[in-house]
Amino acid sequence: MTTSHYIAGRWVEGQGSDCISVNDPALGLPFAELMAASVAQVDQAVAAAREALPAWKQTSASQRAAYLRGFAEQLGQRREALITLQMRNNGKPRHEAEIDLDDAIATFNYYADLAEQLPQKNCDVPLAAPGFTARTRLEPVGVVGLIVPWNFPLVTSAWKLAPALAAGCTVVLKPSEVTPLIEQTYGQIADTLGLPAGVLNIVNGKAETGAALSGHNGLDKLSFTGSNSVGSQVMRSASAQCRPVTLELGGKSAIVVFDDCDVEQAVEWIVAGISWNAGQMCSATSRLLVQDGIAEALLPRLQAALENLRVGNPLSEEVDMGPLTSQAQWLKVASYFATAREEGLQCLAGGKALDRDGWFVSPTLYVDVPADSRLWTEEIFGPVLCARRFATEAQAIAEANDSRFGLVATVCSADLERAERVADALDVGHVWINSVQAVFVETSWGGTKGSGIGRELGPWGLSGYLSVKHVTRCLG
Ligand code: NAD
């Protein structure tokens, strides 16, 4: 049992009714337990954030930047423990756990820099009308609730926490019940740095805790990352109170491979886009669109590359892909294998759970998948790649855009003019050309259509936690 809620600068036991098991997915066994926060504890966390807000928003930008750099440094000092915990609780291969940690560190450092630039953004506004002056002031939105999923716990929380604290907001963070230990690090760091009590609060729990937070009338904003079904509930809570909400939701992204590509390079990109984090990425490029002229050469190599991936326990083996992170996710992916069999899809690789302990599935490839198949249209959130062929550029664009989601896409072509043209025509929030899943803290993150509302990262991520105020003065 771990003490797991950080409220008003103190670690407290959960008083909720749910007991949360923290599992090692490679073994399918629990290694820790904690009690969820009660609704009353969510109230206390929001109240603590509200109480801390006036003083925190008065801190100078450079003071807040110093705290953020402290977070980055302290994450680095906990390096090995955080990598091991992500391997153990998420099932991430070591190199992916390292990338996540480095991403979180870069995020805190980046928003420290942006915090320092905030005072210069306040400026005079020239008016055409005589007799008045006007100036802008960027102010923190206030108390924000942050609800995150389990697939990139360190990173997703950093993408919200760092800009919120930089802006001068106080926060209540609710991590996923699947990975509740990782974000406790942020509370421990807050303790180490002497962050004022109540600026950062962490409450753990399942849906009940999340709903108590997202519906709380003490919040000024909610930022949510997770599934579309929960996202729409969160949006309903926000709409009941006419409160701003940022939603980072699901995806069913395309990777478009033109026939002028180097086959081996394209295979590498395709495999990475579906096997990193065992495909449990909102940005997984799970719909492969391959041009007729390269399909015959590419598909057998892709099949071999997927079959050759080393799948296993990242804590005891050198692996390319670990298990799925939860039993629920494993059952969900298995249900899509059953649907694929019912639909009679042609399976070139995988298509089954692995016959061993833990929540493992094989990297999977279905080809010539009908455009109305559930496997082509729904987010599976596992290493399941579906392929279709196309003849022309226009057809590739139309097929890629034919989705209710619009998070990301990858375009692979030796013809850079064409690649740029296709990137411009894709209705998504982020396009990679001849690269895969390259996320930089300076670029924006977020999607169009059903993939969400708002943007994280870059200056856009910070502006989500800022409110613009104008002060207009009559000179007469
Ligand atoms: P989820 O929606 O089940 O849970 C997300 C969070 O919401 C968890 O903390 C959960 O406890 C909480 N929650 C559950 N019910 C709630 C309720 N009724 N009210 C408020 N909060 C509630 O999602 P998940 O399974 O943890 O994560 C996978 C999903 O997240 C996928 O759809 C994936 O695409 C999406 N995702 C999106 C991005 C992005 O940037 N767009 C990034 C990562 C994950």
Side-chain angles (χ1 to χ4, degrees):
M1 267 298 177
T2 57
T3 305
S4 47
H5 313 279
Y6 186 62
I7 301 174
R10 290 177 48 237
W11 290 99
V12 292
E13 305 280 348
Q15 291 166 357
S17 50
D18 284 330
C19 181
I20 298 170
S21 280
V22 188
N23 296 302
D24 179 337
L27 305 175
L29 292 173
F31 65 89
E33 276 188 336
L34 53 103
M35 291 306 294
S38 64
V39 170
Q41 288 179 306
V42 173
D43 282 345
Q44 289 161 15
V46 174
R50 177 65 57 201
E51 202 179 321
L53 182 66
W56 181 247
K57 68 195 263 193
Q58 292 303 327
T59 52
S60 69
S62 56
Q63 280 173 306
R64 295 198 298 279
Y67 279 116
L68 291 173
R69 292 205 178 91
F71 270 93
E73 201 208 327
Q74 289 291 323
L75 282 171
Q77 287 192 12
R78 290 160 168 78
R79 189 166 190 89
E80 196 49 39
L82 284 171
I83 288 169
T84 306
L85 184 54
Q86 292 179 89
M87 290 163 73
R88 188 165 191 205
N89 191 190
N90 278 87
K92 286 177 193 273
R94 171 169 279 277
H95 67 278
E96 293 188 26
E98 286 172 349
I99 290 172
D100 282 15
L101 176 60
D102 289 336
D103 185 327
I105 292 172
T107 303
F108 279 98
N109 279 326
Y110 174 74
Y111 282 109
D113 291 348
L114 257 55
E116 280 173 335
Q117 294 161 21
L118 267 178
Q120 295 123 49
K121 308 270 177 201
N122 294 336
C123 57
D124 291 338
V125 178
L127 301 176
F132 289 89
T133 62
R135 65 182 170 89
T136 58
R137 216 177 116 73
L138 292 175
E139 298 193 339
V141 163
V143 175
V144 292
L146 312 175
I147 299 181
V148 293
W150 45 262
N151 57 338
F152 292 93
L154 262 187
V155 173
T156 318
S157 296
W159 289 8
K160 296 184 191 302
L161 269 183
L165 296 180
C169 295
T170 56
V171 307
V172 180
L173 170 69
K174 196 206 85 64
S176 166
E177 63 273 30
V178 180
T179 51
L181 301 183
I182 291 172
E183 281 102 332
Q184 292 198 17
T185 306
Y186 291 126
Q188 290 153 5
I189 292 176
D191 266 350
T192 306
L193 298 176
L195 190 75
V199 170
L200 164 63
N201 304 273
I202 303 172
V203 288
N204 276 293
K206 301 183 182 176
E208 186 195 22
T209 313
L213 181 59
S214 64
H216 204 288
N217 59 17
L219 297 182
D220 298 304
K221 170 167 182 159
L222 193 100
S223 177
F224 171 84
T225 299
S227 63
N228 283 62
S229 58
V230 176
S232 74
Q233 293 177 52
V234 164
M235 198 169 166
R236 266 198 297 279
S237 305
S239 84
Q241 303 182 29
C242 291
R243 187 167 62 205
V245 62
T246 295
L247 299 176
E248 297 287 350
L249 305 176
K252 186 74 183 179
S253 300
I255 178 164
V256 182
V257 179
F258 286 96
D259 59 12
D260 55 3
C261 280
D262 175 79
V263 172
E264 296 306 332
Q265 179 61 80
V267 166
E268 207 177 289
W269 288 327
I270 297 164
V271 169
I274 196 64
S275 67
W276 281 356
N277 211 28
Q280 301 163 118
M281 300 182 284
C282 51
S283 55
T285 39
S286 52
R287 290 187 298 143
L288 168 63
L289 288 163
V290 55
Q291 198 164 22
D292 288 333
I294 197 175
E296 294 307 319
L298 184 134
L299 290 174
R301 290 200 177 121
L302 179 58
Q303 173 185 12
L306 289 169
E307 285 174 348
N308 288 337
L309 284 178
R310 295 165 302 173
V311 180
N313 183 345
L315 278 177
S316 55
E317 303 160 57
E318 182 84 7
V319 298
D320 303 308
M321 196 181 97
L324 297 177
T325 300
S326 72
Q327 188 177 33
Q329 197 54 38
W330 183 67
L331 291 170
K332 181 178 167 194
V333 173
S335 80
Y336 278 98
F337 293 148
T339 304
R341 282 192 292 275
E342 280 157 26
E343 290 186 0
L345 299 189
Q346 192 189 340
C347 182
L348 280 197
K352 55 183 189 306
L354 290 188
D355 187 16
R356 56 181 286 176
D357 288 343
W359 302 319
F360 291 94
V361 295
S362 337
T364 295
L365 172 61
Y366 297 108
V367 293
D368 298 327
V369 177
D372 61 356
S373 162
R374 284 184 51 209
L375 278 90
W376 186 256
T377 56
E378 296 177 10
E379 181 183 51
I380 299 173
F381 225 55
V384 182
L385 180 64
C386 293
R388 285 172 60 78
R389 301 173 196 219
F390 68 90
T392 64
E393 181 181 318
Q395 197 186 344
I397 293 168
E399 289 233 11
N401 282 341
D402 184 17
S403 169
R404 73 186 181 100
F405 297 106
L407 192 56
V408 302
T410 298
V411 182
C412 310
S413 175
D415 178 347
L416 294 182
E417 231 172 80
R418 168 168 65 186
E420 295 284 351
R421 192 168 59 233
V422 173
D424 289 352
L426 292 174
D427 192 3
V428 297
H430 202 126
V431 182
W432 293 296
I433 294 176
N434 295 338
S435 63
V436 65
Q437 306 286 330
V439 179
F440 300 102
V441 68
E442 300 86 354
T443 61
S444 74
W445 187 259
T448 62
K449 300 190 277 187
S451 290
I453 299 172
R455 292 290 180 273
E456 296 195 308
L457 292 184
W460 307 276
L462 181 60
S463 59
Y465 296 99
L466 289 168
S467 168
V468 181
K469 180 192 272 181
H470 266 89
V471 179
T472 302
R473 178 150 53 109
C474 176
L475 296 174

